[in-house]
Structure formats: structure tokens, C-alpha cells
Amino acid sequence: MNDAELPSAPADDTGALRLGFTRGTAPSKWAKRWERASGDPLELVPVETAFGRKAEAQGVDVMLERTRAGQRPEGSSEPDRSRHAMLLYTEAVALVVPADHELAESSEISVGDLELVPLLDHPDHFPQWPAARSWEDPSWMPTGVKAALELVATGAGAILLPLPLARHLSDKRAHAVLPVTGEPELAGSGIWASWDVDRDAADVQQLVGIMRGRTARSSRPAAAAADGRTGADGTKPAKQARPKPAAKKAGPKPGSRGAQLAAAKEKAERAKALRRAEKKRKRR
């Protein structure tokens, strides 16, 4: 987006707009765009929760929040809507394993290979994901993401999490984070901008427009911006947040003997790692 095309924001006599944000999100890019567009700072308010909102979010003008797959922010559904909500993007899913796990050096893991890894159940394991092992005693289940990550670090198993959240909360010395790839694609968490219906003023609309990617040349549909639908200008607010592919290294020429040997070696090493993981799982 060209900075010159950013929508201008009206002056706010009540002070800086406040944008609350949940763990694992990156609001700084919108703060910079808002400041360039309006000349005023955007106050960023961290909210210590992985999903939804907490009490400290009550004083913010707009909340950047995460929802579980297929859900909307609390209060944004009819018939008793108290908040507007706009879906910004959908997050990819990651597998978190111990740092010394056989798969820790892998750059990713396919959906089909998840069955070879013992998945620990935790409160934020989505029902749409591959089933996790149930706990013999329900009281043993970790109470949250941090507790689940502590169990992973002990070697008890692995967990699935939204990729940005996994990268944000994991410890590089104790965990390895592997983006999950392949088909069928796992359902991802949603990142939404939500705001109170009574705070639907021009300055909030300008901020939401910047977060949506709208420019001064874009038409603003009357209803689409608030409920996450595709607008009259053809833009789609929800985009799949996929892991960035690793930079490709120079290798042998495709089809050459060297390329065939390299592919065979990689396949053998991957199969060996999966067999070790399966043997380790059976020993437990």
C-alpha cells in the first residue's frame, strides 16, 4: 500500500486511540500506518490472553483478538450484537515438539505424519484437529497453553497450536515449532478486529479501514466492513496466514544424477526419523 493513499483520520480531542491486542499478534504495522495517516500516535494495549478478550480490554477502542476455528468474537453475533467484528486473516497451525525430538530439525510436518506423533490434549486443542490422546485423569490436563508447553518440554508429547502463538510462547531452547502443511488443511484460528457498537465513530472506522487495507481510493461498503463479508470493492478481509517458505539453496540440476541421489537421501532420512519417533512412542 502506498503511504500517500492511506486514508486521513480526523482529529480526536479525547486522546489517542487505543488498540488492544492478544498474544502472538503484531499490531505495530497498523500503528505506524495510523500515525502516518493521522499524525497522531496509536496507543497499543497488550492483553494477556491467547483467545478472546479479558477485563483489561474494556478500555480499548478496538481489540485485535483471536478466536477458535469457526467462531466469532464474543458479542458479535445476532440477535443481541454488542460488538462489530471484522475478520482480518486466518492463522496457520503448528506442531510443537521437544527440542531434542527426532523431528526437531525438520522445517515442517505434513498432516499425514501427525498420526506418528503423540498429541497431548489441552484446552485450546480445536475439535477440528486430529484427535489428541485423552488423559486417564481429566485433572491431569494442562490448564492452558503455557502449562501444555511445559509438558512438551519434558518429552511427554507434542501439541498443536496456532503458528504465530506457538512461535510467540515457545522457548527455542526447549521446543521446536513445525508448521503443519499438506491436505486436508487444518482449520486455523481467526484474527479479528472488534469494537463496541456504541464506539462506531469516524476515527474508529478510519482505523478499521487501515487494518482492513482500505485506501483513500477504495469505496467503503456500508455493511461489509463490520461483519467480515467481501465488500463492494471486491476486497476480502480474511487472508490465510501461511508460513513463509524457507529460502531455497542452490542444488544439483533437476533431473540429474545428483538430484536423484539427494532426493533419495532426503526421503530415507525422513523415513528413518519417523520410524524412530514411532518406536519412541511405543516404548512409552
Side-chain angles (χ1 to χ4, degrees):
M1 181 187 300
N2 190 321
D3 292 342
E5 296 179 345
L6 289 171
S8 59
D12 185 0
D13 297 332
T14 62
L17 275 178
R18 306 181 79 227
L19 174 64
F21 63 97
T22 191
R23 303 294 296 269
T25 55
S28 58
K29 63 179 180 181
W30 290 308
K32 292 176 182 177
R33 291 175 183 175
W34 169 261
E35 188 168 357
R36 286 196 295 265
S38 68
D40 296 321
L42 180 66
E43 183 180 349
L44 300 179
V45 182
V47 178
E48 294 298 314
T49 184
F51 293 87
R53 304 185 300 277
K54 294 182 71 174
E56 58 262 39
Q58 294 300 318
V60 303
D61 298 292
V62 179
M63 179 67 195
L64 188 62
E65 60 181 290
R66 177 182 292 105
T67 64
R68 293 170 175 81
Q71 296 186 5
R72 293 179 59 89
E74 183 180 358
S76 67
S77 300
E78 300 293 354
D80 300 318
R81 174 183 291 190
S82 59
R83 294 184 71 81
H84 294 305
M86 178 181 68
L87 180 61
L88 298 174
Y89 57 90
T90 302
E91 295 178 310
V93 182
L95 177 74
V96 184
V97 298
D100 59 354
H101 193 275
E102 291 87 347
L103 298 176
E105 296 301 321
S106 302
S107 59
E108 60 186 30
I109 186 169
S110 68
V111 174
D113 288 338
L114 289 178
E115 63 183 17
L116 301 177
V117 183
L119 295 176
L120 301 178
D121 197 11
H122 61 94
D124 296 314
H125 184 96
F126 297 175
Q128 299 94 328
W129 291 347
R133 294 190 304 182
S134 58
W135 295 91
E136 293 182 10
D137 185 339
S139 65
W140 295 348
M141 180 186 289
T143 56
V145 174
K146 288 186 176 181
L149 287 170
E150 290 175 359
L151 278 178
V152 171
T154 67
I159 61 173
L160 291 173
L161 285 175
L163 177 58
L165 184 64
R167 286 175 171 166
H168 179 68
L169 294 179
S170 62
D171 183 344
K172 291 183 178 180
R173 296 169 298 181
H175 307 106
V177 177
L178 285 63
V180 179
T181 61
E183 299 293 338
E185 186 175 330
L186 296 187
S189 47
I191 297 297
W192 299 72
S194 73
W195 63 101
D196 196 274
V197 294
D198 295 329
R199 186 63 181 90
D200 198 24
D203 54 353
V204 169
Q205 285 294 333
Q206 291 289 350
L207 174 58
V208 171
I210 289 174
M211 296 175 73
R212 186 176 181 228
R214 191 174 66 247
T215 71
R217 298 177 183 176
S218 302
S219 59
R220 182 183 181 277
D227 62 11
R229 293 178 293 169
T230 301
D233 57 1
T235 59
K236 293 184 178 181
K239 296 181 180 179
Q240 180 71 25
R242 298 181 182 276
K244 295 181 179 179
K248 293 184 178 180
K249 298 180 180 179
K253 184 178 180 180
S256 66
R257 177 62 176 169
Q260 294 174 357
L261 290 174
K265 181 179 179 181
E266 181 180 355
K267 184 176 180 180
E269 290 179 349
R270 183 174 180 80
K272 186 177 180 181
L274 291 173
R275 285 196 298 270
R276 287 200 303 267
E278 177 65 9
K279 289 180 180 179
K280 188 174 181 180
R281 184 186 69 81
K282 289 181 178 179
R283 286 199 299 269
R284 291 175 180 164

